[in-house]
């Protein structure tokens, strides 16, 4: 069964929490408003996006988006012009915007180079915040996007445990997961990832310790 469209309440909570403690915070719906105005296709990912799939949304300092490859440079240029207090750093898989004063990353523009990141542009549901349409990953896509960092050999342990906590919370809060679709998306993370991600859902549902 496909995931139902979520409400935007969680995104409002994560935005309010983040605004409280992040200096020069940029709200996800403001980034969405800007990109929508210029008709640049994107999907919101990261902690703000999964907030709609969590019972208890959390704060985060940055807005993570994926933009189609052919629009990446235009999106980066537009964000740089709109937010001159940020400086862009181009990396292999992401362009990061840091606050010039605090050096905090406030916006990440992901490049859809990996199959599961590219898939996030198509596996979406629509929500609305402050009258701004925003595309976010489906529940199954959001879980697959969490699998990749959880199993990474180079990601720091403390971040992997945070990813695992998000994964567990999403599974517990959303009983209607399309396991067939989840397996399909998991295989985009790595061959055999579909079997692993479905097993992780089983572990969570059975109350077992999640194996990382």
């Amino acid at each position: 069964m496909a995931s139902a469209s979520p409400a935007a309440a969680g995104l409002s909570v994560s935005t309010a929490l983040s605004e409280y403690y992040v200096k020069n915070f940029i709200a996800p719906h403001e980034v969405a408003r800007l990109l929508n105005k210029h008709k640049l296709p994107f999907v919101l990912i990261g902690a703000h996006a999964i907030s709609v799939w969590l019972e208890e949304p959390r704060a985060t300092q940055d807005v993570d988006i994926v933009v189609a490859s052919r629009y990446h440079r235009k999106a980066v240029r537009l964000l740089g012009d709109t937010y001159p207090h940020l400086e862009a750093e181009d990396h292999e898989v992401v362009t990061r915007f840091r606050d010039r004063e605090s050096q905090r990353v406030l916006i990440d523009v992901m490049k859809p180079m990996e199959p599961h990141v590219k898939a996030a542009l198509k596996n979406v549901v629509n929500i609305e915040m402050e009258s701004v349409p925003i595309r976010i990953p489906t529940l199954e896509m959001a879980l697959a996007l969490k699998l990749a960092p959880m199993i990474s050999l180079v990601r720091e342990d403390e971040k992997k445990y945070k990813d695992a906590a998000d994964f567990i919370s999403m599974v517990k809060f959303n009983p209607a997961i399309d396991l067939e679709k989840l397996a399909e998306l998991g295989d985009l993370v790595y061959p055999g990832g579909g079997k692993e991600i479905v097993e992780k859902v089983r572990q969570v549902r059975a109350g077992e310790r999640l194996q990382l």
Side-chain angles (χ1 to χ4, degrees), residues 93-193:
V93 298
V94 62
T95 299
R96 320 202 90 156
F97 284 90
R98 291 185 184 273
D99 185 280
R100 296 181 188 275
E101 179 183 350
S102 68
Q103 287 300 297
R104 284 186 170 184
V105 176
L106 297 186
I107 302 175
D108 269 346
V109 186
M110 303 296 299
K111 302 174 184 179
M113 299 175 64
E114 298 167 299
H116 63 285
V117 177
K118 187 175 183 179
L121 288 164
K122 295 182 178 180
N123 293 274
V124 300
V125 291
N126 298 300
I127 62 172
E128 190 173 285
M129 180 178 172
E130 302 290 338
S131 301
V132 179
I134 303 174
R135 299 199 313 164
I136 65 167
T138 62
L139 172 60
E140 293 77 19
M141 188 74 251
L143 289 167
L145 288 170
K146 279 295 174 185
L147 175 66
M150 276 198 303
I151 64 173
S152 171
L153 298 177
V154 298
R155 190 166 174 80
E156 302 93 327
D157 283 348
E158 62 267 28
K159 292 184 178 180
K160 292 174 72 170
Y161 285 125
K162 184 180 292 185
D163 294 322
D166 287 336
F167 186 93
I168 292 168
S169 296
M170 283 193 285
V171 171
K172 286 185 174 181
F173 189 54
N174 300 278
I177 299 173
D178 185 335
L179 295 179
E180 183 176 346
K181 183 64 177 180
L182 183 65
E184 175 187 325
L185 296 172
D187 280 334
L188 295 179
V189 178
Y190 79 94

Side-chain angles (χ1 to χ4, degrees), residues 3-70:
S3 309
S5 295
L11 181 56
S12 298
V13 173
S14 71
T15 298
L17 290 172
S18 303
E19 189 172 23
Y20 181 76
Y21 87 97
V22 178
K23 185 176 181 180
N24 295 330
F25 174 71
I26 298 171
H29 68 279
E30 293 297 346
V31 174
R33 191 195 310 275
L34 177 66
L35 298 179
N36 287 340
K37 178 181 178 181
H38 292 268
K39 302 186 186 317
L40 298 182
F42 76 97
V43 58
L44 177 70
I45 61 171
H48 282 303
I50 68 167
S51 66
V52 302
W53 300 117
L54 295 173
E55 184 175 14
E56 298 181 358
R58 59 179 173 83
T60 182
Q61 71 178 20
D62 61 339
V63 174
D64 300 307
I65 59 172
V66 180
V67 178
S69 296
R70 63 184 178 277

